[in-house]
Amino acid sequence: MDFEENVRAQWLPLRERLQAKRLLDSEGASLSLRIPGSDAMWFGLASGATPQRVPWRTAPHDAQVHAAAYAKRGDVGAIAVGGGAFGRCLADFGGAMPQVFDEQARHLGPMGPASADMGDAAAVLQGRGNVLLVRGLPVCLGMTATRLALNAELFEKCAKAYVLAVAGVARACLALDRALGRQPATCER
């Protein structure tokens, strides 16, 4: 087995690991692995059985965020787009979360602002962080397939804690507004 096929062989076990933890559940979820020494990647939708070799310059619509990340970040070797339920909920709570946990700061880094299009995403991808929202879906980066899996798992745990905390504060603000006879939604997040 040559080196390129060895990289390809990592795709299916990685996809299965992420799907087992419900981290590639959204429609359009996808996964890719950089092919070192080339301008190509092994790319596939999470619903697909096998990845396809895709050059970055001719990436189809579903693979454009992957291609942009590899082009901007030489340290990225694997990308998952889709995320878990709480990661996707971040879109409803500002699209980004602050660095709260030590492990989050070390492995995920700062989370850039959510991007509605690829132009914005390309600029944000140049940053130091390993996760961001693009079109409402988490994009998680890793140096290796294993690091990507760990980052995706860590991101979902952090997103869960953050979303539940923010949602709890919002609920408490609504209750306070009602108790004080104010119009709902006067509390700021």
Side-chain angles (χ1 to χ4, degrees), residues 35-56:
I35 300 172
S38 75
D39 287 343
M41 62 184 153
W42 289 110
F43 170 83
L45 294 175
S47 58
T50 59
Q52 302 299 312
R53 189 181 198 282
V54 176
W56 304 342

Side-chain angles (χ1 to χ4, degrees), residues 1-148:
M1 181 183 301
D2 71 353
F3 182 72
E4 196 167 308
E5 286 299 315
N6 189 23
V7 173
R8 182 179 190 267
Q10 296 175 44
W11 189 89
L12 185 59
L14 177 60
R15 186 201 68 180
E16 289 174 351
R17 175 179 177 172
L18 294 174
Q19 283 183 327
K21 297 193 177 203
R22 304 183 59 89
L23 298 175
L24 287 176
D25 277 353
S26 64
E27 183 155 338
S30 57
L31 180 64
S32 70
L33 297 170
R34 177 193 293 264
I35 300 172
S38 75
D39 287 343
M41 62 184 153
W42 289 110
F43 170 83
L45 294 175
S47 58
T50 59
Q52 302 299 312
R53 189 181 198 282
V54 176
W56 304 342
R57 288 190 255 312
T58 60
H61 179 74
D62 292 334
Q64 287 178 351
V65 71
H66 297 260
Y70 291 131
K72 297 286 184 186
R73 298 272 304 267
D75 63 325
V76 173
I79 301 170
V81 175
F86 289 99
R88 291 190 309 273
C89 281
L90 281 177
D92 297 326
F93 294 95
M97 66 180 164
Q99 293 182 65
V100 177
F101 306 105
D102 181 50
E103 190 176 14
Q104 173 194 13
R106 276 196 321 269
H107 295 293
L108 301 179
M111 187 172 180
S115 300
D117 63 53
M118 280 309 304
D120 292 341
V124 174
L125 287 166
Q126 286 183 251
R128 300 180 336 242
N130 287 323
V131 68
L132 74 149
L133 288 183
V134 177
R135 298 181 193 126
L137 294 177
V139 176
C140 196
L141 315 174
M143 289 183 76
T144 64
T146 301
R147 185 74 254 163
L148 169 64

